[in-house]
Amino acid sequence: MQLAHVKWFVDDPGRFPLEWNRLFAPATLGGVGLAVAGALLLRFLVRRIDEDQITGWIRRPLRPYLPLLLSIHLGIALVAYALTDRYLAPSLRLPGGTWGRVLAALELVVAALIILGLFTRAAAGLLVLSGPVGMFFYGVIPILERMEFLGIALYLAAVGRRKWSVDALRRSSSESAFMNPVAVGMLRICAGLAIVVGALTEKLLAPGVAEAFLRTYPRFNVLDGLGISDRAFADAAGAVELALGLLLLSGIGTRLVVLAALIPFNVTLLFFGLTE
């Protein structure tokens, strides 16, 4: 449950207001403490081990495909949202009437251009614009929870689609641009921010959301048999998620952090399928 988007599986999560007084609660501070401890440990490790050798087996083969993989991931998500009357997330229902159709059309246009690799930078710009547009309808925080989309948009705006795209038929490309440090840095920062915001708004500052999720899916409190309450378990999960997000933001041992998070980030797919 640590890394599941619990809002996506709770009816009307907006009925649980954020409890800002929990910003300095033990669980939140514990997440920050875990991040600091993890950063110190990672700094120690990266000075003594070959990080590239540990992660190179998966990183080097995937490097040339990074723009393609990000584009397909983004495009499929946008198509799914548009066809199920959602906007950028399963928890954000499109408004009725003309505005709903306009927003769905925006998602489909961006998805088509991104998947095809046609006018990729213009499509990335439209995706960036979809954030402020969404804030008008849904508020700031629900859009900030999808900061990883902004990271993908900024990456594609800086790098383009390169190979395997319609754009590539019109101009040559350079493989070195796939790992443009600025573009990859923006991707990392936005992914880290998305995890931090999600940890706060779905768990640490909104315990009601996490508790409602665990009442519907009680098996996810794997510590229930030890007498750990749903709120305590949600706090612990939120603290771990917050620490992961902060570690990504720190830029220390990023490859090791991502490799370690690979399984917990994806195991929820086994339980929630396409929505997750």
Side-chain angles (χ1 to χ4, degrees):
M1 175 256 186
Q2 283 104 317
L3 300 172
H5 290 282
V6 296
K7 276 187 178 181
W8 297 359
F9 306 96
V10 173
D11 292 332
D12 190 19
R15 73 182 188 273
F16 301 103
L18 296 179
E19 300 178 18
W20 291 102
N21 60 307
R22 287 175 54 86
L23 195 59
F24 299 100
T28 309
L29 296 177
V32 175
L34 281 173
V36 172
L40 292 174
L41 177 61
L42 285 170
R43 184 174 290 276
F44 173 82
L45 288 176
V46 296
R47 290 177 176 176
R48 288 162 175 78
I49 62 176
D50 188 344
E51 186 180 2
D52 183 69
Q53 185 176 7
I54 293 175
T55 62
W57 62 275
I58 189 171
R59 190 169 55 86
R60 281 190 290 270
L62 289 180
R63 177 186 293 173
Y65 302 96
L66 181 56
L68 175 64
L69 292 172
L70 290 173
S71 297
I72 292 176
H73 166 80
L74 174 63
I76 289 176
L78 292 177
V79 169
Y81 296 150
L83 296 181
T84 56
D85 294 325
R86 299 299 192 271
Y87 188 74
L88 299 185
S91 57
L92 302 179
R93 184 174 293 276
L94 286 169
T98 302
W99 277 114
R101 291 191 289 272
V102 169
L103 294 179
L106 174 63
E107 290 182 309
L108 289 173
V109 168
V110 172
L113 293 176
I114 290 290
I115 291 173
L116 291 172
L118 175 62
F119 304 121
T120 302
R121 289 184 170 88
L126 286 175
L127 183 59
V128 172
L129 180 63
S130 70
V133 171
M135 290 178 184
F136 178 80
F137 290 95
Y138 305 102
V140 174
I141 289 178
I143 301 302
L144 291 181
E145 291 171 347
R146 305 317 315 271
M147 283 288 288
E148 75 275 15
F149 278 6
L150 175 61
I152 296 174
L154 293 176
Y155 174 88
L156 292 175
V159 173
R161 261 292 296 275
R162 302 290 162 176
K163 294 183 177 181
W164 302 285
S165 68
V166 176
D167 288 339
L169 300 177
R170 300 182 297 139
R171 62 177 65 92
S172 59
S173 63
S174 169
E175 289 199 13
S176 62
F178 294 151
M179 302 305 290
N180 179 299
V182 174
V184 174
M186 290 188 294
L187 189 62
R188 172 182 59 80
I189 289 171
C190 289
L193 286 173
I195 295 172
V196 167
V197 173
L200 293 173
T201 62
E202 295 195 349
K203 299 177 182 72
L204 295 172
L205 302 187
V209 175
E211 288 178 303
F213 171 86
L214 289 171
R215 283 195 296 271
T216 305
Y217 303 96
R219 59 180 176 173
F220 279 89
N221 183 353
V222 295
L223 301 179
D224 182 60
L226 300 177
I228 304 299
S229 68
D230 286 348
R231 173 163 292 201
F233 181 75
D235 281 347
V240 172
E241 192 170 338
L242 177 62
L244 280 172
L246 292 174
L247 285 173
L248 269 183
L249 287 172
S250 75
I252 301 173
T254 301
R255 295 165 185 163
L256 296 177
V257 173
V258 172
L259 192 61
L262 194 61
I263 293 177
F265 261 106
N266 288 283
V267 71
T268 50
L269 296 172
L270 300 176
F271 300 96
F272 296 116
L274 292 177
T275 301
E276 178 70 357

